[in-house]
Amino acid sequence: MAEWLARRVLILAAHPDDETIGLGGSLPRFADPYILHVTDGAPRDGADAAAHGLGVAEYAAARRAELAAALRIAGVDPARADCLGVPDQEAAERLPEVIGAVERAIRAIRPAVVITHPYEGGHPDHDATALAAAVACRRTSVELVEMTSYHAVPEGIAVGRFIPAGTRPVILPLAAAARERKRRMLAAFATQASTLAQFPVSAEEWLRPAPAYDFTQPPHAGRLFYEGFGWRMTGARFRALAGEALAWA
C-alpha cells in the first residue's frame, strides 16, 4: 500500500466523480496522482442534461467544473486531470479506440501504477474502462490496481466493497477529517446529488491488485446492475464487444 501511495499513479475512471467515490478520502495521500476519465459524463440522449436545464455540451462542462472543484478540495491541481471525451454510456462501443487512447496516456504519463474500476457489471462504462486498463497495462507492463465501485446484489446495490475475485483488498483507513473532506468533494458534484446519495462515506476505502478477468464471461450470476435501466447496452452485448476488442488486441 505504501508503495502505491508514494509512486506516480494514474487513476483511470469512467466518469467525473468515480475517482471521488472510490478514492476521494485517500486522494490527498497520493504523492504524484494523475486522473484520466474515459467519458465526459454526458449521455447523448440528453435526458440527464435536460433534467438540469442544460444542453449536452453544457452538462459535460458542468460535470468538468464540478470535478475541478472536488479536486481542489482534495488539494489536487485540476490540471492533472484529463478526459478522453467518449460519450457517457458509449465506452463499450468504442473499445479499440479507448484501449489505444489509454495506452498512449500511460506511455505519456509513465505511472508506476494504474488504478481503475473492477469488472462488476455496475455500469457498462466502468466495465469498458476495466477492460481497456487491463489491455493497456499488459502492453506497457504497468501494475494494475482496482478501487471499489458498485454492483448488483439481491437487495439492490452494493457500494464500497468488491465482489470476491481471488485477490485480497488493501484497506485505507479514513480519519474523521478525511471523511469530512470526502463529503465535501461529493457535494461538489451538484448535478449528481441524487445518484451520490447512494454512496455513504465510510471509515475506509479499499484497493486491490486487479484479478485476471475474463471479460467474455459475466462478472456475477443474475442481472447486472445496469441492465435495470433499459439502456441499449446489455451484459450479453458488452461481452460480445469485449470479445471482439480482445481478439483485435
Side-chain angles (χ1 to χ4, degrees):
M1 179 184 71
E3 290 184 1
W4 296 341
L5 296 174
R7 299 156 80 189
R8 176 168 291 182
V9 169
L10 173 62
I11 300 171
L12 179 66
H15 315 104
D17 75 12
D18 285 330
E19 73 300 315
T20 301
I21 291 170
L23 281 176
S26 302
L27 195 54
R29 300 173 64 185
F30 286 89
D32 194 11
Y34 285 81
I35 300 168
L36 179 64
H37 293 103
V38 171
T39 82
D40 60 9
R44 293 312 190 258
D45 65 7
D48 288 1
H52 296 278
L54 300 171
V56 170
E58 294 172 314
Y59 184 62
R63 296 203 65 179
R64 201 74 194 158
E66 291 168 351
L67 170 71
L71 292 181
R72 291 189 186 100
I73 291 169
V76 176
D77 185 351
R80 283 178 167 253
D82 203 353
C83 180
L84 299 182
V86 174
D88 193 304
Q89 300 179 20
E90 297 183 23
E93 298 171 342
R94 304 188 182 200
L95 275 169
E97 171 190 338
V98 173
I99 291 168
V102 170
E103 181 180 354
R104 289 191 294 274
I106 290 173
R107 294 190 185 281
I109 296 170
R110 301 178 65 183
V113 180
V114 171
I115 301 176
T116 195
H117 300 279
Y119 173 50
E120 295 186 333
H123 193 293
D125 290 338
H126 294 186
D127 292 351
T129 300
L131 185 153
V135 174
C137 285
R138 185 187 73 228
R139 289 177 175 175
T140 56
S141 300
V142 171
E143 184 178 4
L144 183 58
V145 172
E146 296 178 341
M147 59 186 173
T148 61
S149 184
Y150 55 88
H151 57 271
V153 290
E155 59 270 26
I157 184 173
V159 303
R161 67 180 191 263
F162 295 112
I163 297 174
T167 58
R168 298 184 63 181
V170 173
I171 308 301
L172 302 175
L174 299 182
R179 296 196 299 273
E180 178 57 28
R181 181 174 55 240
K182 184 171 182 175
R183 291 188 189 97
R184 292 171 56 214
M185 292 175 70
L186 290 168
F189 294 97
T191 64
Q192 307 306 302
S194 60
T195 297
L196 294 177
Q198 302 175 86
F199 295 88
V201 175
S202 72
E204 58 191 34
E205 293 172 336
W206 291 9
L207 295 174
R208 72 176 179 189
Y213 292 116
D214 183 350
F215 293 95
T216 67
Q217 296 298 315
H220 61 74
R223 188 172 73 171
L224 304 182
F225 188 78
Y226 65 78
E227 290 180 313
F229 295 99
W231 295 343
R232 66 188 184 191
M233 185 59 62
T234 64
R237 184 161 181 251
F238 174 87
R239 294 189 293 275
L241 291 169
E244 293 172 6
L246 291 168
W248 168 84

